[in-house]
Amino acid sequence: KLPQTSYIATHTCMQGWSATSRWTGVRLTDLLAELGPRPDGANFVLVESYGLAQKMIDNRPREPFYAAFDLDTAGEDDSILAYERNGKPLDLYLGAPARVRVESNHGYKMVKWVRSISWVADYADHGDGRGGTREDSALQAFNGRI
């Protein structure tokens, strides 16, 4: 029932590949409005996955993947919960039934297989407190912005 949005973006992966696709979904701002007013002190949006993280650098057991976004990033027009790619429902390997697309951030911030989206006061209260599973594992910088 939420307004649908689409855009075309080229995803350039840090692993050396790229792909251009049309992404369709709902803006995070529209989805977050469904949660009701932003709670006092909530400064970030936490997105959690059903999928597991890649192997952790310190050999901990794998854990559910997550990423946190500040309010400005979550509010960007191209920050969406996507459910289609190129006019078709997402394939499972691309995060079906829904994944986050935040075009101003690197791909490791674009959580696949979304389980939950919630307001949080501080990402330091989640995981190892660095803003995402990849940051916690020390595999990426603490700033996911491109």
Side-chain angles (χ1 to χ4, degrees), residues 85-108:
R85 179 178 164 260
N86 296 330
K88 297 178 183 172
L90 283 178
D91 291 314
L92 184 59
Y93 79 96
L94 290 175
R99 69 172 294 161
V100 170
R101 293 292 307 180
V102 178
E103 300 307 325
S104 65
N105 279 222
H106 287 292
Y108 65 86

Side-chain angles (χ1 to χ4, degrees), residues 14 102 104-109 135 140-146:
M14 298 165 83
V102 178
S104 65
N105 279 222
H106 287 292
Y108 65 86
K109 298 297 284 184
E135 294 92 335
Q140 256 76 43
F142 295 152
N143 181 351
R145 294 192 68 81
I146 294 174

Side-chain angles (χ1 to χ4, degrees), residues 37-113:
R38 180 170 55 95
D40 289 341
N43 298 307
F44 296 89
V45 174
L46 183 73
V47 181
E48 296 177 282
S49 175
Y50 283 107
L52 297 178
Q54 294 173 353
K55 182 179 175 184
M56 303 302 285
I57 196 167
D58 57 3
N59 295 314
R60 282 181 293 175
R62 295 188 317 156
E63 56 192 35
F65 195 86
Y66 84 97
F69 301 95
D70 62 46
L71 300 180
D72 289 339
T73 302
E76 294 170 356
D77 285 344
D78 289 346
S79 293
I80 68 171
L81 183 67
Y83 47 79
E84 288 182 3
R85 179 178 164 260
N86 296 330
K88 297 178 183 172
L90 283 178
D91 291 314
L92 184 59
Y93 79 96
L94 290 175
R99 69 172 294 161
V100 170
R101 293 292 307 180
V102 178
E103 300 307 325
S104 65
N105 279 222
H106 287 292
Y108 65 86
K109 298 297 284 184
M110 299 186 203
V111 177
K112 297 178 182 176
W113 311 292

